[in-house]
């Protein structure tokens, strides 16, 4: 029996001994799990604000059964949890990022029971990741689901099933209780269809479909535990058949097919609620990364993330590398070290059934060598899972590599000129495969509201690194820092407790750099993305009009000015020769639209000159240019400043040009795949993008995300809009966050949760900003 145990908890944001004896006071709030302990603002809060004791109380009726044992299992509560049942202290455990179990069997009574969980969310220097400085926040509360589990006296404590692409199955299990006369029977299902039934540690299934990134086929493994002829319990695990191989020269292979690993690091940090988001929103993150950003790998930096996130990665074919909690610091204390090693074990046990998982990060991110600790860490991981490699993330090149893969954070890119250091410079790898586990991040923090110049530089640096990742076969791939902006301690970030290192902001609004990844993604439908707005004359210094960068996977794009064809532009295979889809530079604003009656040769040179002035700015056109273009200007009568200016303004949208539109069209395989126009527009619209319209109260309440943007008549985001936004809800739906907030850079994201209902109900959410309003309807089940 697994009882939904996530609704209707009593909650107090403190703890007093009285709670243990008498229960929570009448003033206790009623909350549902997951619960953040304390809601935080988007930024400008202190990490001390949520570090506290929190009390959660639940009363439940129970009928004791002498053949059963009763457990309470928490999927995650930050940092430690003490459990009291009917006033009896059942101990305190480190619950942080791991499933944590309390046995209730002896303390539970027939009839009414009172369970009290006291969560201690204070940073404890003896528990990783704490003890030093940490560039992320752990937040608080019971932030993942809780289960009440009734098990037989003897039960399956752990079960691991690993399937290869050839259909070989290997099974490992552990029983708890009295194993005499107990035996296990296994069965594999494809949907409802039983494929095989067997006993023992392995089996071979013919004709299976392997788990692939574009077709992540999942099967169900069912274990039935018998004592004699009596069935005690069954346990089901979704799994996949797939093989992974890491070659030190040729890279990574999934089912013997080479894949360059292109990834992003993810923190499980959402606005307002920290990590306390239900499954669907955890899953939306996976969907965004796979289907929008087009990457094939996520590193769960720097701790094990929710089962919901991993299960979604299994379901959609997104590879994962996990990591033990930590950040640069290795504790000297015996207790810290033993906590660390037990976290290795807990991580592997939690995650090893996920086909998406391709490696364990068994070292504290960017920590120094520690032969003793890290040999033990690798040994624990290998014992529990001999089928996956270990890796350890360093920020230095010469290190003792006890793991299978040398992972290196390469922050050497500090301009567009250089992406990654050469693999041969990473001496510590000594013949082991190398993975670039981080790059960029603090080297170039960029906000979606930054100037177009900065956003462009951000994009180009990411592209430069990706180009090198594709260039060196020795690199398994590269994982950018990072997916989403995240909250951090005061000694990191931008002074507001945020690291603006994401290719998305913390609200999951993409920055231009997200499209750098998307454009390289496999299986992404043809698209293009224009970095900047060519119709905006005042957004670039000196009102210049430099080449426009277009990202995407098109064969070419065309430019139109006021509807007239200008020119076709092709991928920059020269500067980005290793990328599957190099960016495209739109670098001629005149092209075929040049009407003046000059010879084709003269037109070409004049176009060059005018585009050069536009790109560099009038003030930067110097003697060298006049020397070069002087004869041409004299010949064409354009040595006269007024005439030259008139010609320039005719073709370049600049300061004061009226009514100019630019249209860009993308083409793939000879077909137009999209078109985007930019121009001056007084129209405004509110664009909303809900991730679903049905919320299902199940094991926990449900939640979803609605991205919203104010756009002009051409659909271009009003990037500087910071107006107030007001949200009203009707029916069984609530906001996870404030109802009044400013747009940030023309956009915002709503996080909505369902409230419990007794029958299917309707709910409405009305969003109002800048005189615009949209109402969304939701079904709550
Ligand atoms: C790395 C670290 C990350 C993050 C990043 C910022 O050194 O591993 O957690 O702090 O720097 O760029």
């Amino acid at each position: 029996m697994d009882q939904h145990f996530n609704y209707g908890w009593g909650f107090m944001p403190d703890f007093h001994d009285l709670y243990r004896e008498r229960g929570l006071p009448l003033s206790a709030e009623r909350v549902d799990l997951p619960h953040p302990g304390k809601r935080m603002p988007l930024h400008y809060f202190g990490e001390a604000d949520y570090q506290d004791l929190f009390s959660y109380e639940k009363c439940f009726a129970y009928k004791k059964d002498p053949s059963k044992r009763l457990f309470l299992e928490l999927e995650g509560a930050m940092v430690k949890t003490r459990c009291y049942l009917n006033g009896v202290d059942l101990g305190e455990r480190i619950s942080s990022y791991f499933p944590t179990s309390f046995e209730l069997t002896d303390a539970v009574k027939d009839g009414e029971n009172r369970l009290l969980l006291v969560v201690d969310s204070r940073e404890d220097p003896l528990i990783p990741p704490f003890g030093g400085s940490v560039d992320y926040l752990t937040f608080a509360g019971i932030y993942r689901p809780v289960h009440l589990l009734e098990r037989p006296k003897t039960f399956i404590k752990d079960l691991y099933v690993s399937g290869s692409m050839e259909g070989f199955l290997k099974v490992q299990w552990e029983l708890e209780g009295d194993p005499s006369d107990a035996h296990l029977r296994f069965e594999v299902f494809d949907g409802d269809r039983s494929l095989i039934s067997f006993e023992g540690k392995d089996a071979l299934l013919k004709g299976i479909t392997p788990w692939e990134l574009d077709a992540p086929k999942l099967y169900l493994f069912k274990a039935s535990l018998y004592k004699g002829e009596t069935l005690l319990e069954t346990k089901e695990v979704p799994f996949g058949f797939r093989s992974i191989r890491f070659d030190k020269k040729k890279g990574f292979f999934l089912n013997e097919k080479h894949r360059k690993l292109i990834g992003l690091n993810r923190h499980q940090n959402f606005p307002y609620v920290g990590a306390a988001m239900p499954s669907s929103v955890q899953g939306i993150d996976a969907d965004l990364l796979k289907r929008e950003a087009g990457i094939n790998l996520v590193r769960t930096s720097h701790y094990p993330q929710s089962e919901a996130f991993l299960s979604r990665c299994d379901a959609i074919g997104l590879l994962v590398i996990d990591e033990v909690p930590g950040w640069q610091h290795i504790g000297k204390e015996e207790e810290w070290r033993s906590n660390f090693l037990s976290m290795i074990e807990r991580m592997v046990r939690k995650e090893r059934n996920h086909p998406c998982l391709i490696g364990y990060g068994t070292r504290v991110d960017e920590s120094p060598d520690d032969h003793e600790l890290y040999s033990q860490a690798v040994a624990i991981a290998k014992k529990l899972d001999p089928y996956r490699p270990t890796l350890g993330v360093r920020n230095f090149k010469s290190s003792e590599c006890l793991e299978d893969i040398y992972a290196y954070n390469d922050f050497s890119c500090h301009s567009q000129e250089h992406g990654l250091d050469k693999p041969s410079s990473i001496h510590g790898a000594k013949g082991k495969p190398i993975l670039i586990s981080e790059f960029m991040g603090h080297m170039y923090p960029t906000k979606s509201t930054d100037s177009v110049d900065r956003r462009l530089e951000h994009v180009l640096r990411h592209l430069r690194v990706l180009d090198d990742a594709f260039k060196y076969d020795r690199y398994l791939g590269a994982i950018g820092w990072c997916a989403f902006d995240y909250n951090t301690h005061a000694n990191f970030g931008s002074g507001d407790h945020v690291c603006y290192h994401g290719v998305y902001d913390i609200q999951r609004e993409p920055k231009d750099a997200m499209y750098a990844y998307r454009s390289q993604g496999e299986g992404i439908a043809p698209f293009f993305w224009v970095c900047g707005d060519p119709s905006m004359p005042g957004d670039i210094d000196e009102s210049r009009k430099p080449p426009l960068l277009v990202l995407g996977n098109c064969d070419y794009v065309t430019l139109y000015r006021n509807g007239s064809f200008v020119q076709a532009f092709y991928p920059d295979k020269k500067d980005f020769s290793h990328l599957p889809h190099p960016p495209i530079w739109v670098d001629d604003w005149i092209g075929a639209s040049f009407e003046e009656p000059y010879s084709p040769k003269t037109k070409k040179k004049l176009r060059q000159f005018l585009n050069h002035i536009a790109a560099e700015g009038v003030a930067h056109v110097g003697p060298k240019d006049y020397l070069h273009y002087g004869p041409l200007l004299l010949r064409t009568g354009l040595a006269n400043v007024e005439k030259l200016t008139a010609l320039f303004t005719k073709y370049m949208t600049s300061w004061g040009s009226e009514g100019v539109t630019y249209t860009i069209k993308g083409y793939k395989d000879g077909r137009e795949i999209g078109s985007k126009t930019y121009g001056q527009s007084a129209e405004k619209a509110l664009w909303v993008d809900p991730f679903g319209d049905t919320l299902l109260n199940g094991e926990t309440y449900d939640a979803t995300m609605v991205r919203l943007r104010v756009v002009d008549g051409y659909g271009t985001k009003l990037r500087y809009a910071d107006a107030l936004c007001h949200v009203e809800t009707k029916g069984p739906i609530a906001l996870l966050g404030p109802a009044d907030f400013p747009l940030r850079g023309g956009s915002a994201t709503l996080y909505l949760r369902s409230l419990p209902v007794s029958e299917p109900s309707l709910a409405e959410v009305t969003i109002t900003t800048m005189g615009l309003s949209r109402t969304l309807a939701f079904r709550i089940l």
Side-chain angles (χ1 to χ4, degrees):
M1 176 212 74
D2 178 353
Q3 194 176 315
H4 294 173
F5 220 55
N6 297 299
Y7 295 96
W9 288 73
F11 172 75
M12 287 296 289
D14 56 10
F15 172 68
H16 297 288
D17 244 2
L18 269 182
Y19 296 172
R20 183 163 75 100
E21 289 150 22
R22 299 208 203 135
L24 297 192
L26 284 175
S27 58
E29 199 187 328
R30 257 182 109 69
V31 302
D32 301 323
L33 308 181
H35 186 262
K38 188 162 180 181
R39 276 202 199 166
M40 290 292 129
L42 207 54
H43 56 162
Y44 289 112
F45 61 87
E47 57 263 29
D49 298 355
Y50 61 78
Q51 288 185 50
D52 226 321
L53 293 175
F54 301 98
S55 301
Y56 293 85
E57 183 187 72
K58 192 160 175 67
C59 295
F60 64 100
Y62 190 68
K63 175 89 189 78
K64 269 176 101 98
D65 175 343
S67 69
K68 294 277 157 57
R69 293 167 70 176
L70 188 67
F71 295 88
L72 183 79
E73 192 170 294
L74 285 71
E75 288 192 29
M78 199 55 76
V79 177
K80 292 175 284 191
T81 306
R82 186 175 285 283
C83 176
Y84 299 97
L85 183 60
N86 301 320
V88 179
D89 184 355
L90 299 178
E92 187 181 56
R93 312 258 151 85
I94 297 172
S95 42
S96 62
Y97 299 102
F98 304 96
T100 305
S101 185
F102 292 96
E103 177 150 18
L104 310 183
T105 316
D106 292 338
V108 75
K109 299 185 300 197
D110 270 331
E112 272 302 297
N113 288 272
R114 191 170 55 81
L115 180 72
L116 176 67
L117 297 178
V118 182
V119 176
D120 184 346
S121 298
R122 294 170 297 188
E123 297 183 357
D124 180 335
L126 293 176
I127 301 176
F130 311 115
S133 268
V134 183
D135 174 20
Y136 56 93
L137 298 183
T138 47
F139 294 103
I142 306 182
Y143 69 97
R144 290 182 188 160
V146 168
H147 309 264
L148 187 68
L149 299 170
E150 205 176 54
R151 316 289 301 266
K153 289 272 177 207
T154 302
F155 62 88
I156 307 165
K157 185 176 159 209
D158 206 355
L159 179 68
Y160 173 33
V161 46
S162 163
S164 77
M165 62 181 275
E166 297 88 3
F168 285 110
L169 262 189
K170 302 234 180 266
V171 194
Q172 277 172 228
W173 65 89
E174 278 168 52
L175 298 184
E176 168 83 24
D178 169 18
S180 62
D181 204 22
H183 69 281
L184 280 158
R185 211 161 172 77
F186 304 124
E187 205 169 354
V188 175
F189 289 88
D190 179 3
D192 292 340
R193 199 157 56 91
S194 171
L195 302 183
I196 192 173
S197 168
F198 67 101
E199 293 194 3
K201 291 191 166 154
D202 35 47
L204 173 62
L205 275 83
K206 295 246 168 69
I208 52 92
T209 307
W211 185 90
E212 300 280 4
L213 296 189
D214 50 358
K217 173 79 182 164
L218 291 175
Y219 292 83
L220 189 75
F221 187 82
K222 184 171 165 190
S224 304
L225 175 65
Y226 292 87
K227 258 219 162 173
E229 288 307 302
T230 315
L231 175 66
L232 295 182
E233 69 164 2
T234 59
K235 196 174 169 75
E236 294 182 344
V237 177
F239 77 103
F241 291 96
R242 56 114 186 94
S243 300
I244 52 175
R245 185 161 66 81
F246 295 83
D247 184 284
K248 64 178 188 239
K249 287 201 180 122
K250 296 188 191 139
F252 169 72
F253 293 80
L254 175 67
N255 302 330
E256 287 312 314
K257 185 170 172 223
H258 178 259
R259 301 270 177 175
K260 184 60 86 170
L261 296 170
I262 297 298
L264 287 164
N265 285 278
R266 176 192 187 238
H267 271 305
Q268 60 175 19
N269 183 172
F270 292 94
Y272 312 117
V273 295
M277 270 295 178
S279 307
S280 337
V281 177
Q282 302 284 351
I284 289 174
D285 263 9
D287 286 347
L288 288 177
L289 295 174
K290 161 110 186 173
R291 295 181 170 152
E292 186 170 77
I295 58 169
N296 58 22
L297 174 70
V298 184
R299 172 168 165 243
T300 63
S301 50
H302 303 295
Y303 40 78
Q305 300 189 359
S306 70
E307 284 309 289
F309 180 74
L310 294 175
S311 297
R312 188 67 189 157
C313 292
D314 287 342
I316 63 177
L318 177 58
L319 301 169
V320 173
I321 281 177
D322 65 7
E323 188 166 46
V324 66
W327 204 82
Q328 295 192 345
H329 167 82
I330 303 178
K332 291 195 174 43
E333 308 83 356
E334 214 23 68
E335 196 175 333
W336 192 100
R337 296 167 81 87
S338 80
N339 284 338
F340 173 80
L341 291 174
S342 94
M343 284 179 171
I344 298 272
E345 170 167 355
R346 293 171 81 179
M347 168 174 77
V348 177
R349 284 190 190 277
K350 166 175 157 355
E351 319 222 313
R352 60 188 172 165
N353 278 311
H354 290 282
C356 65
L357 189 76
I358 58 167
Y360 299 108
T362 53
R363 255 177 100 114
V364 167
D365 172 65
E366 295 190 333
S367 57
D369 285 350
D370 186 323
H371 182 85
E372 196 200 330
L373 188 71
Y374 290 146
S375 327
Q376 290 179 64
V378 169
I380 293 170
K382 287 285 170 200
K383 182 159 175 250
L384 291 166
D385 187 355
Y387 312 117
R388 281 189 182 86
T390 53
L391 55 105
V393 171
R394 283 105 170 141
N395 52 0
F396 50 103
K397 291 177 171 171
S398 293
S399 156
E400 184 193 20
C401 187
L402 298 161
E403 303 81 19
D404 301 303
I405 296 169
Y406 196 103
Y408 176 63
N409 291 349
D410 183 337
F411 288 107
S412 65
C413 172
H414 48 71
S415 73
Q416 288 177 36
E417 309 307 315
H418 170 89
L420 294 170
D421 284 346
K422 289 197 175 98
S424 56
S425 70
I426 304 178
H427 309 296
K430 287 203 201 83
K432 295 202 172 167
I434 307 170
L435 177 67
I436 301 300
S437 33
E438 289 180 33
F439 60 89
M440 204 61 63
H442 64 281
M443 296 301 291
Y444 207 75
T446 302
K447 303 178 192 65
S448 30
T449 48
D450 278 337
S451 73
V452 64
D453 292 340
R454 189 169 181 94
R455 290 188 278 120
L456 190 64
E457 178 74 20
H458 190 223
V459 168
L460 289 168
R461 289 189 189 194
H462 272 281
L463 284 176
R464 174 60 57 230
V465 175
L466 292 180
D467 193 63
D468 274 356
F470 279 102
K471 171 168 151 193
Y472 296 115
D473 291 340
R474 181 108 166 71
Y475 287 147
L476 299 169
I479 315 173
W481 189 268
C482 60
F484 310 110
D485 291 348
Y486 56 98
N487 294 121
T488 189
H489 285 88
N491 46 343
F492 299 93
S494 297
D496 58 349
H497 283 79
V498 176
C499 271
Y500 292 94
H501 297 177
V503 300
Y504 288 85
D505 72 14
I506 198 168
Q507 307 215 51
R508 277 56 176 166
E509 173 71 3
K511 302 179 190 173
D512 289 311
M514 187 281 284
Y515 297 93
Y517 288 80
R518 179 172 171 80
S519 57
Q520 314 311 324
E522 280 177 43
I524 294 287
F527 85 100
F528 68 88
W529 174 260
V530 182
C531 301
D533 177 344
S535 73
M536 247 195 235
D539 214 31
I540 297 186
D541 298 346
E542 303 173 24
S543 184
R544 286 176 302 112
K545 200 167 176 59
L548 193 66
L549 189 74
V550 181
L551 300 168
N553 48 13
C554 299
D555 297 333
Y556 65 96
V557 298
T558 50
L559 174 72
Y560 300 78
R561 185 173 192 268
N562 288 338
S564 303
F565 175 74
V566 173
Q567 187 74 281
F569 302 92
Y570 294 84
D572 178 2
K573 291 191 178 148
K574 191 168 139 276
D575 282 337
F576 296 96
S577 54
H578 304 94
L579 289 180
H581 299 287
I584 297 176
W585 288 105
V586 169
D587 55 3
D588 180 356
W589 301 101
I590 307 172
S593 70
F594 206 3
E595 293 173 330
E596 278 61 20
Y598 300 116
S599 73
K601 216 169 137 199
T602 305
K603 277 185 172 177
K604 191 172 167 202
K605 264 205 125 179
L606 276 173
R607 266 163 48 207
Q608 254 176 23
F609 182 51
L610 297 176
N611 280 311
H612 176 69
I613 303 177
E616 299 301 322
V618 180
H620 300 275
V621 179
K624 230 172 101 196
D625 298 302
Y626 288 117
L627 214 61
H628 185 70
Y629 291 104
L632 173 76
L633 298 180
L634 285 171
R635 197 155 34 82
T636 50
L638 293 168
N640 170 314
V641 175
E642 268 170 35
K643 278 194 184 157
L644 184 61
T645 310
L647 188 67
F648 183 84
T649 17
K650 177 172 174 190
Y651 289 107
M652 298 294 171
T653 309
S654 67
W655 210 234
S657 305
E658 267 177 39
V660 180
T661 62
Y662 282 106
T663 301
I664 291 164
K665 294 184 179 178
Y667 296 84
K668 183 92 186 166
D669 302 326
R671 216 168 38 82
E672 184 186 320
I673 55 96
S675 163
K676 172 80 181 88
T677 297
Y678 295 88
Q680 295 150 22
S681 160
E683 278 174 47
K684 285 195 296 282
L686 183 56
W687 174 93
V688 290
D689 180 22
F691 285 69
D693 59 3
T694 303
L695 296 182
L696 174 68
N697 289 301
E699 181 192 5
T700 72
Y701 61 87
D702 201 358
T704 193
M705 208 174 106
V706 181
R707 289 201 286 208
L708 57 104
R709 293 175 196 147
V710 277
V711 295
D712 69 11
Y714 295 105
T716 306
K717 181 157 78 167
L718 304 185
R719 193 166 275 286
Y720 304 120
D722 55 3
L724 203 66
C725 200
H726 174 70
V727 179
E728 271 174 27
T729 57
K730 250 199 237 161
I733 198 161
L735 274 166
L736 293 169
D740 292 287
F741 50 86
L743 295 172
R744 288 153 58 94
S747 66
T749 301
L750 305 184
Y751 289 92
L752 295 160
R753 63 153 288 184
S754 57
L755 298 172
V757 289
S758 49
E759 57 182 30
S761 309
L762 288 179
E764 266 182 17
V765 175
T766 302
I767 308 153
T768 309
T769 186
M770 297 179 82
L772 304 161
S773 187
R774 289 285 297 270
T775 297
L776 300 170
F778 293 89
R779 287 191 316 143
I780 313 293
L781 306 177

